[in-house]
Amino acid sequence: MPTTHLVIISDRTALSWVLTEQRMAFPPGRARAAQAIAEGDEVLLYSTRGCFGNPTRDLGRIIGHATVSSPVRSLADPIVFGERRFTEGCELTVHGLAPFREGVALRDHVDRLTVFPEPKHWSVRMRRASLSLPAADADVLRDELRPLLKPYADVVEAYRWPR
């Protein structure tokens, strides 16, 4: 049975690459965790509040829905964003995106999610590349996201960076 993963993206250039290439990449220190992601798994894409360079204006939001469409593999040519290298990766099929700077504000739902046993300290669990979600939590977040999603082709241009 497929697992649902919250994929956490904290950089706008990386987010642009993920969405336009429909690929995901993981740094070497997260390679083991990345191997927990399997072809056919569901992905909820999360942009952190600092993703767009203004954490006082932006919220951490779930902005997209995708399926993992290839196994996670070592990349022959690592992906580089700034000084960070990403050595593992997989392909995604993005099904829908929320309009730019919209989506499900995760902080508004942490009290309802078992993946955050201490809701006061939920952000500690977000310091990783991905977070596997219990089925009930995935249902809650998927239900909140679904009405906000637009067709991929209609929204992806708004996420391209640099502009």
Side-chain angles (χ1 to χ4, degrees), residues 18-19 21-24 39-45 64-70 90-97 152:
V18 166
L19 295 178
E21 296 293 321
Q22 294 194 64
R23 293 172 57 197
M24 188 62 212
E39 187 172 1
D41 282 355
E42 178 181 44
V43 169
L44 300 177
L45 297 163
H65 180 253
T67 302
V68 179
S69 54
S70 75
C90 63
E91 295 177 16
L92 300 175
T93 301
V94 180
H95 304 295
L97 293 170
Y152 170 81

Side-chain angles (χ1 to χ4, degrees), residues 68-137:
V68 179
S69 54
S70 75
V72 174
R73 297 184 178 111
S74 292
L75 301 174
D77 296 314
I79 305 299
V80 178
F81 298 110
E83 296 182 16
R84 295 195 68 199
R85 296 180 72 230
F86 297 79
T87 58
E88 308 288 319
C90 63
E91 295 177 16
L92 300 175
T93 301
V94 180
H95 304 295
L97 293 170
F100 188 65
R101 285 204 166 94
E102 294 183 29
V104 176
L106 186 58
R107 72 176 188 189
D108 295 343
H109 302 282
V110 296
D111 290 337
R112 299 171 49 198
L113 305 173
T114 61
V115 74
F116 302 115
E118 296 181 47
K120 256 181 135 172
H121 305 289
W122 70 276
S123 64
V124 171
R125 303 261 351 240
M126 302 298 287
R127 295 180 185 145
R128 59 189 75 213
S130 68
L131 179 63
S132 294
L133 297 173
D137 291 358

Side-chain angles (χ1 to χ4, degrees), residues 144-156:
E144 293 291 328
L145 180 62
R146 190 174 291 119
L148 305 175
L149 291 177
K150 305 293 181 207
Y152 170 81
D154 293 353
V155 182
V156 69

